[in-house]
DNA sequence: TTGTTATTGAAAACCATTTCCATTAATAGA
DNA sequence: TCTATTAATGGAAATGGTTTTCAATAACAA
């Protein structure tokens, strides 16, 4: 199932079915929350958002679904070093909103930046290709993150 | 305490003292293990290596010491996504052995690569400077990691 | 040598995530 | 539409890396 032929309402029907997954209420609800929401939600954040409307969807299901969505490439699993995973909607194919993260180690605020992205992407592709060949890796993902202190936290210190 | 004026046997004495830390057996033992060892040790790895010689050093102390060393910039705390932190000795100043990591998501093998490092470092510095100014961050760290499947794991599939 | 206080070890607590297992429900086929 | 199959679910319990607690110990300054 080549990633990326998705767009429009309900495109995920095919995505699920095509991979032998069933389309359930929970899965749709979670996808919807991630698609609409501010970014970087934790499993519990998602649970909280979904619970009022779907009180019968448990946290376990959230975790399981997030794994599925993540393995389908529909969402990204992120780690900002605060001990809980965060998830963000993978905005369609072709990296339309490709960005990386700038994390404040003081207050855990996260800034999505797109500055220098073109240069980054170019270097990443080059590196990916080089490394892949040299070490015989089939590379399919990368992380770039910057850590520091935001204005507020820098002052506090 | 400006990082980086360290070299030679026992340079850490000053590093510790200068920051109000005491120099203890445990701290030296842990530093030594990290300095000598293959890279990417987990807290428990370190515990196992130290235990035969120092059976009275507990895992708790390992964790506490790793925090201290990490906050002093003497070691790096790494996350390869397998649920446990790894640590690696910060090889002196000036990024003498600056490298990044290529992680196999199949078997968790980690390759340290230095290919394209110069280009990377240049871009990183540029980005760091740009982001720092634009978002008023005092950036002091970054991560770059590639994930994929190594030859073996790629075949298995 | 002595007093102060950072450091320690062991056990318990923490807490995000996973596993278990009996129940439910999505889907394919009749 | 109805039915059988089996993936998906939820609640409770387990997991496991890391942190906290607290009384005992030991590094260091004087």
């Amino acid at each position: 199932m080549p990633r990326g032929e998705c767009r429009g309402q309900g495109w995920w029907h095919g995505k699920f079915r095509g991979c032998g997954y069933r389309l359930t209420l929970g899965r749709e609800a979670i996808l919807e929350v991630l698609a609409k929401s501010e970014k970087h939600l934790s499993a519990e954040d998602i649970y909280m958002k979904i619970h009022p409307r779907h009180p019968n969807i448990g946290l376990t299901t959230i975790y399981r679904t997030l794994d599925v969505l993540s393995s389908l490439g529909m969402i990204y699993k992120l780690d900002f070093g605060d001990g809980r995973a965060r998830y963000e909607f993978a905005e369609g194919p072709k990296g339309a909103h490709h960005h990386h993260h700038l994390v404040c180690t003081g207050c855990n605020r996260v800034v999505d930046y797109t500055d220098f992205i073109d240069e980054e992407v170019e270097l990443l592709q080059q590196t990916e290709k080089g490394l892949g060949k040299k070490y015989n890796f089939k590379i399919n993902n990368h992380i770039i993150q910057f850590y520091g202190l935001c204005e507020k936290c820098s002052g506090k210190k």
Side-chain angles (χ1 to χ4, degrees), chain A:
Chain A
M1 62 257 78
R3 288 185 190 176
E5 50 209 56
C6 36
R7 184 78 62 167
Q9 279 308 350
W11 51 267
W12 47 69
H13 284 68
K15 192 109 184 178
F16 280 122
R17 298 277 179 75
C19 299
Y21 290 110
R22 291 177 181 176
L23 185 60
T24 68
L25 205 82
R27 286 174 181 172
E28 283 204 292
I30 292 169
L31 251 188
E32 214 160 309
V33 165
L34 277 167
K36 284 189 186 159
S37 155
E38 311 293 297
K39 330 221 154 170
H40 316 146
L41 299 178
S42 69
E44 194 163 355
D45 290 339
I46 296 169
Y47 177 75
M48 299 300 251
K49 292 213 174 220
I50 284 184
H51 195 254
R53 205 179 287 261
H54 303 284
N56 47 334
I57 292 182
L59 189 52
T60 308
T61 295
I62 308 275
Y63 276 108
R64 272 186 296 225
T65 299
L66 288 170
D67 275 352
V68 171
L69 296 177
S70 181
S71 76
L72 286 177
M74 301 168 83
I75 64 176
Y76 296 126
K77 184 176 187 177
L78 308 172
D79 170 27
F80 298 140
D82 67 340
R84 70 191 57 200
R86 310 273 169 173
Y87 300 85
E88 114 186 333
F89 193 64
E91 315 240 6
K94 61 169 58 172
H97 296 75
H98 195 77
H99 63 270
H100 289 133
H101 302 286
L102 174 55
V103 184
C104 175
T105 51
C107 61
N108 289 322
R109 190 158 69 88
V110 176
V111 173
D112 294 3
Y113 74 87
T114 51
D115 315 74
F116 305 97
I117 284 293
D118 292 344
E119 294 90 322
E120 272 186 23
V121 168
E122 191 180 352
L123 176 61
L124 288 174
Q125 283 175 344
Q126 189 185 338
T127 308
E128 213 163 291
K129 195 171 154 195
L131 292 184
K133 188 168 292 179
K134 177 165 179 183
Y135 298 107
N136 276 312
F137 261 67
K138 187 175 294 176
I139 296 176
N140 47 36
N141 209 353
H142 66 255
I143 286 183
I144 291 194
Q145 268 169 36
F146 287 92
Y147 293 93
L149 291 174
C150 71
E151 199 168 11
K152 268 187 222 160
C153 294
S154 182
K156 265 182 225 160
K157 172 66 177 340

